Amino acid sequence: MATTADFRNGMCIDLDGQYYVITEFLHVKPGKGAAFVRTKLKNVTTGRVLDKTFNSGVKVDEVRIERRPYQYLYQDDMGYNFMNTETFEQVPIAAEQIEGVQFLKEGDLVEVQTHAESGTILTVEMPTHVVLEITYTEPGLRGDTATNTLKPATVETGAEVRVPLFINEGEKIKVDTRTGNYVERVKE
């Protein structure tokens, strides 16, 4: 058991049978009345953010979450299959638990959050940026780079990304997996 005095960013708590990670907290001591703690909590499974206020000194259940490196192997009817890089154990994970799944390619390393006591998988975090090759895009016109216009492009995983006009097929680009936005062209 932990109290509101133990709150810190990244701490995971059990609230009404759901797991939440504290993303922000603020201890407030008003001039009149009792102190309280204002928090922003992110649901581990759904990703929804909840604003919650706790009275000062309230006890909450702290949940221990472990982060382990896994490597993506392949996809089948069971889901996306990953291998624990420490124990070489293979596990299928549903697409709903993976943020940015459309940018996942074979061999990628991801961070898997597991519940420490039960070992159940909660979420899969992709790397912030991935390098992908463009498989199809309309050719850009010469001299058409003065504006910030974007065109659709399909990457090797099948996802569609908006890229600048000067990007062509066969080039590699860096993509932000959280937003799906083009970041930069990658030179070899």
Side-chain angles (χ1 to χ4, degrees):
M1 291 294 259
T3 66
T4 55
D6 301 322
F7 280 3
R8 63 191 181 283
N9 288 339
M11 179 181 178
C12 188
I13 60 174
D14 184 348
L15 196 64
D16 303 327
Q18 297 268 340
Y19 299 135
Y20 291 91
V21 174
I22 298 174
T23 56
E24 289 180 31
F25 69 97
L26 177 66
H27 289 277
V28 179
K29 176 70 174 107
K32 187 176 184 183
F36 58 91
V37 180
R38 230 182 250 133
T39 61
K40 280 191 189 282
L41 306 171
K42 183 177 181 184
N43 190 314
V44 172
T45 52
T46 64
R48 289 183 129 169
V49 177
L50 171 76
D51 290 323
K52 180 127 176 95
T53 303
F54 295 92
N55 289 331
S56 189
V58 170
K59 294 186 180 208
V60 293
D61 291 326
E62 184 176 3
V63 178
R64 226 177 88 232
I65 289 184
E66 294 178 352
R67 298 166 89 73
R68 297 187 177 130
Y70 276 69
Q71 183 178 19
Y72 172 59
L73 299 175
Y74 60 92
Q75 179 186 5
D76 61 8
D77 56 340
M78 297 286 289
Y80 291 82
N81 290 284
F82 290 86
M83 176 183 69
N84 185 329
T85 57
E86 297 162 354
T87 64
F88 303 109
E89 171 192 4
Q90 293 185 20
V91 291
I93 300 175
E96 297 82 43
Q97 293 178 294
I98 308 168
E99 289 184 36
V101 70
Q102 68 270 24
F103 302 113
L104 190 62
K105 64 180 181 184
E106 288 182 13
D108 280 352
L109 289 172
V110 296
E111 286 274 324
V112 175
Q113 292 183 355
T114 59
H115 189 277
E117 281 84 41
S118 65
T120 56
I121 294 173
L122 301 172
T123 60
V124 176
E125 285 184 8
M126 292 275 296
T128 309
H129 297 100
V130 291
V131 176
L132 298 169
E133 186 175 336
I134 304 269
T135 55
Y136 175 76
T137 187
E138 295 291 326
L141 299 173
R142 187 176 183 96
D144 210 1
T145 58
T147 62
N148 259 352
T149 310
L150 301 174
K151 64 181 179 179
T154 306
V155 293
E156 61 187 292
T157 60
E160 191 169 286
V161 180
R162 308 271 308 157
V163 298
L165 295 173
F166 59 84
I167 300 291
N168 296 314
E169 268 183 47
E171 293 190 69
K172 293 192 178 208
I173 60 168
K174 189 183 281 190
V175 178
D176 188 333
T177 58
R178 297 165 299 185
T179 60
N181 292 337
Y182 162 87
V183 177
E184 66 183 358
R185 183 181 355 190
V186 176
K187 300 268 189 189
E188 273 125 50

